[in-house]
């Protein structure tokens, strides 16, 4: 954005990071406030009086209830490219999404890093299903991020055949531990062939973790 002098809007809850954002990208209007599924459209309306028919890029990366916020945005906003953080510890085909709760911010701040919280974010399979319903193709995944493009720009990927297969992309990607032992992630992806057998294991891990850490 700095090199191309691109304009846009952003939301950042942390005051220190928000100040750095405003200094580094003065052409981007920043709302220094918390974003939730309930207020995200109101924040957009405050910052953008005449929204364009299409955005070039929409990015959601809040290390928590990303998918509920994204779903609300997609009801109103159309973008050619969508970038969203994914929880890499939960492999396809399992669908997982953290929901919003007003006490999550204080809970997350009790940890040194968001990577210590395995329940955050949403799984790649959940994102693929969510974005598909709004007309988006899955095109890439790596680390903690997934990329989607709208079907209207599908020809730009020629000769590649999109959408990509999330199983193949996940298998080829570097998978970072996200508070879940990597051995469990490998087991759920490579060893457990029956989803109905894997779901109770994932639920049990998250339940035990919450009981041990939520107090």
């Amino acid at each position: 954005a700095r090199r191309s002098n691109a304009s846009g809007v952003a939301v950042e809850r942390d005051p220190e990071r928000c100040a750095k954002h405003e200094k580094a990208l003065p052409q981007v209007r920043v709302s220094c406030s918390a974003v939730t599924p309930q207020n995200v459209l109101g924040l957009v309306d405050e910052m953008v009086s005449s929204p364009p028919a299409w955005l070039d890029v929409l990015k959601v990366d809040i290390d928590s209830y990303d998918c509920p916020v994204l779903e609300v945005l997609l009801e109103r906003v159309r973008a050619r490219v969508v970038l969203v953080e994914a929880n890499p510890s939960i492999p396809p085909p399992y669908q997982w999404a953290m929901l919003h709760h007003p006490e999550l911010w204080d809970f997350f701040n009790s940890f040194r890093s968001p990577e210590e919280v395995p329940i955050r974010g949403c799984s790649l399979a959940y994102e693929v299903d969510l974005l598909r319903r709004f007309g988006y193709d899955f095109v890439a995944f790596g680390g903690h991020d997934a990329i989607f493009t709208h079907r209207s720009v599908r020809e730009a990927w020629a000769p590649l055949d999109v959408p990509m297969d999330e199983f193949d992309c996940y298998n080829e990607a570097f998978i970072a531990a996200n508070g879940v032992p990597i051995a469990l992630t490998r087991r759920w992806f490579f060893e457990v062939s029956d989803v109905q057998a894997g779901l109770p294991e994932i639920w049990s891990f998250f339940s035990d973790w919450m009981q041990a850490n939520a107090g």
Side-chain angles (χ1 to χ4, degrees), residues 10 32-34 38 80 103 114 126 135 145 147 151 155 172 175 191 196-197 210-211 213:
C32 299
S33 57
Q38 291 74 33
R80 294 179 177 86
E103 297 180 10
Y126 187 98
D145 299 292
I147 302 175
R151 292 171 188 163
E155 63 181 20
E172 295 293 330
I175 304 302
E191 300 174 17
Q196 298 305 316
M210 285 297 296
Q211 291 177 9
N213 291 276

Side-chain angles (χ1 to χ4, degrees), residues 25-207:
L25 297 171
Q27 74 276 21
V28 176
R29 188 174 181 184
V30 186
S31 175
C32 299
S33 57
V35 63
T36 70
Q38 291 74 33
N39 75 352
V40 62
L41 293 182
L43 291 173
V44 172
D45 290 339
E46 289 176 6
M47 293 187 287
V48 184
S49 57
S50 299
W54 284 89
L55 301 178
D56 290 322
V57 179
L58 170 64
K59 181 179 181 181
V60 177
D61 183 351
I62 55 177
D63 292 320
S64 53
Y65 41 88
D66 301 60
C67 281
V69 168
L70 177 60
E71 184 169 6
V72 172
L73 281 170
L74 291 175
E75 296 282 357
R76 169 87 67 84
V77 175
R78 292 191 298 176
R80 294 179 177 86
V81 180
V82 174
L83 291 84
V84 59
E85 186 177 47
N87 186 330
S89 293
I90 310 170
Y94 303 103
Q95 296 197 20
W96 161 269
M98 170 179 275
L99 303 182
H100 172 254
H101 191 283
E103 297 180 10
L104 274 176
W105 178 255
D106 292 335
F107 176 66
F108 272 57
N109 281 340
S110 65
F111 296 88
R112 292 174 298 177
S113 167
E115 282 72 22
E116 296 180 5
V117 184
I119 61 172
R120 70 188 180 97
C122 36
S123 66
L124 177 61
Y126 187 98
E127 293 176 354
V128 170
D129 183 68
L130 171 63
L131 273 294
R132 183 188 295 119
R133 290 190 276 120
F134 288 93
Y136 289 86
D137 294 327
F138 169 60
V139 296
F141 171 71
H144 290 81
D145 299 292
I147 302 175
F148 300 81
T149 56
H150 196 266
R151 292 171 188 163
S152 61
V153 298
R154 185 177 285 179
E155 63 181 20
W157 291 96
L160 295 178
D161 185 19
V162 296
M164 301 298 186
D165 183 274
E166 64 264 33
F167 288 86
D168 289 341
C169 287
Y170 188 90
N171 186 49
E172 295 293 330
F174 172 78
I175 304 302
N178 190 65
V180 178
I182 196 66
L184 281 180
T185 299
R186 288 184 58 85
R187 169 174 167 73
W188 296 333
F189 188 61
F190 290 107
E191 300 174 17
V192 181
S193 58
D194 184 357
V195 173
Q196 298 305 316
L199 280 173
E201 289 190 18
I202 296 174
W203 176 258
S204 177
F205 176 84
F206 285 152
S207 297

